Amino acid sequence: MATLKQVAAHAEVSVQTVSNALNAPHRLRPDTLERVNRSIELLNYRPNRNARSLRTSAVELIGYCVPSWPNQTHLVMDQFLHALCAAAETSGRHILLFTAPAAVQGMPVYDDLHARRLVDGFVLSQTETHDPRHGWLKDKQIPFVSFGRVWKQTTQPGPWVDVDGAAGSALAVQHLYDAGRRRIAFLSWPKTSGLAEDRLTGWRNRCKKLGLPTTGLAVRCGEDSIDEGARATAELLDSDQPPDGIVALSDILALGAHRELSDRGLTPGADVGVTGFDDSPLASVVSPGLTSLRQPMDQIASELISILTGTSNGMPTERLLQPELVIRGSSAPG
């Protein structure tokens, strides 16, 4: 492998000029930069990443722990991973994927990755209240950013990017209301989920603003599964005053509602409007198609990388992004 000195000799410039070409090209005249880059290419020079990151404290390799989603396949994980890798590569960086046990048991994995200079910083997800990763990373002065807020804490423990779930739920309620629905239910997760409480609040507040009832129309599901979504929908349909619209916290729960309605001879959209959240691949293949809130994965990934690498140009390090309602047949007017 060619060295920095060999590149400098080949281009007939100083070692510092080659370093500037790699790290601060704006300092060089265009003809000099072109000559150095030509030598780099001809000699197949590859910078020593460890030496450079140690010298500049640059975040070049980014670690991401792939979450473990018990009892389900998370339908948007593939979309997020692809967007994150693409955003990193656009900025000349790469993502190192790894797995680790949850909570404090997983900290040795993070410690080992950083100690061996395999990564310079981390993107976190599945953040929890008093998540041990935040304090450890802060103490070690290791850069990190979280996809998702930490709930039930007065202040956020670090920079984050998230999607406004409350606004998304409100958007879904408004859409069903505009389609003529007047009893709009909500399929939720247990109270232990801060994300669920956020989206539930958005549903409740918009219903109240529109003068719609909420009592008895929010059903909590034990887990994020199609069976639980179907069970909760059956409970609502068997009540004295069944809903004519359903806002589900996830596409999985919405697909459960979709199935239960079909099993009863009812048509989603025509008889009961249904919306989901995430706009997963399954949303567009069921019939009728599932109306769902799409998370802006490309923007999420781009924002995460820009915050972590310090290229955000003074923008806030706490960013709440808006979802987009993708309308399909499951919410067509009755």
Side-chain angles (χ1 to χ4, degrees):
M1 183 180 294
T3 67
L4 198 69
K5 288 183 178 179
Q6 289 171 330
V7 173
H10 187 274
E12 299 181 340
V13 297
S14 68
V15 170
Q16 182 59 52
T17 298
V18 178
S19 178
N20 285 341
L22 294 168
N23 302 308
H26 61 279
R27 295 181 180 177
L28 302 182
R29 297 198 314 268
D31 59 327
T32 302
L33 179 60
E34 182 181 358
R35 187 166 74 253
V36 174
N37 284 338
R38 188 183 307 116
S39 295
I40 289 172
E41 183 178 352
L42 288 172
L43 297 180
N44 195 30
Y45 173 72
R46 294 292 181 271
N48 185 318
R49 192 204 71 80
N50 281 352
R52 181 185 177 195
S53 62
L54 281 169
R55 184 176 66 255
T56 66
S57 298
V59 177
E60 296 186 352
L61 278 181
I62 300 166
Y64 177 70
C65 183
V66 180
S68 172
W69 303 93
N71 304 320
Q72 68 175 55
T73 299
H74 198 268
L75 298 178
V76 297
M77 178 53 62
D78 182 64
Q79 299 174 32
F80 174 66
L81 289 179
H82 185 277
L84 187 65
C85 290
E89 289 165 7
T90 298
S91 67
R93 296 167 174 86
H94 296 282
I95 302 293
L96 177 86
L97 300 179
F98 65 97
T99 60
V104 71
Q105 289 78 14
M107 295 315 306
V109 178
Y110 288 80
D111 192 13
D112 180 63
L113 288 170
H114 189 261
R116 292 197 288 146
R117 303 300 302 173
L118 294 176
V119 299
D120 307 309
F122 294 92
V123 171
L124 309 180
S125 66
Q126 271 193 319
T127 52
E128 301 174 351
T129 303
H130 305 301
D131 194 316
R133 295 176 295 179
H134 297 126
W136 184 86
L137 291 167
K138 280 184 175 180
D139 290 343
K140 297 285 186 179
Q141 296 185 328
I142 300 172
F144 71 92
V145 61
S146 298
F147 175 24
R149 288 161 285 175
V150 176
W151 306 99
K152 302 177 183 178
Q153 290 186 214
T154 53
T155 59
Q156 294 297 318
W160 54 266
V161 178
D162 202 0
V163 175
D164 194 338
S169 292
L171 189 61
V173 170
Q174 186 69 54
H175 168 65
L176 292 175
Y177 178 85
D178 291 343
R181 313 295 178 179
R182 293 299 180 266
R183 286 186 59 81
I184 301 172
F186 190 80
L187 302 186
S188 188
W189 293 340
K191 283 186 176 181
T192 53
S193 168
L195 181 149
E197 294 307 292
D198 182 51
R199 296 182 186 181
L200 178 66
T201 298
W203 164 81
R204 183 183 295 114
N205 289 346
R206 183 53 59 94
C207 283
K208 289 182 177 179
K209 182 178 179 179
L210 295 171
L212 303 179
T214 57
T215 303
L217 287 170
V219 180
R220 294 189 183 274
C221 300
E223 61 181 13
D224 192 33
S225 70
I226 290 177
D227 286 345
E228 270 294 281
R231 180 203 61 77
T233 300
E235 179 181 327
L236 288 165
L237 295 175
D238 290 337
S239 64
D240 292 337
Q241 293 182 293
D244 57 5
I246 296 174
V247 172
L249 182 143
S250 70
D251 279 359
I252 290 286
L253 295 181
L255 290 170
H258 203 288
R259 188 184 76 185
E260 182 64 23
L261 290 169
S262 298
D263 287 349
R264 293 179 179 232
L266 300 173
T267 302
D271 297 307
V272 179
V274 179
T275 69
F277 205 116
D278 282 338
D279 193 34
S280 62
L282 290 179
S284 61
V285 299
V286 294
S287 182
L290 177 64
T291 293
S292 186
L293 288 149
R294 176 181 295 165
Q295 300 196 55
M297 286 300 177
D298 290 341
Q299 185 182 2
I300 292 167
S302 178
E303 299 271 8
L304 289 168
I305 297 301
S306 69
I307 291 174
L308 186 61
T309 59
T311 57
S312 54
N313 297 320
M315 295 291 288
T317 57
E318 297 184 350
R319 305 185 193 176
L320 192 59
L321 308 180
Q322 298 303 305
E324 172 192 1
L325 187 67
V326 180
I327 300 173
R328 298 189 180 92
S330 71
S331 63

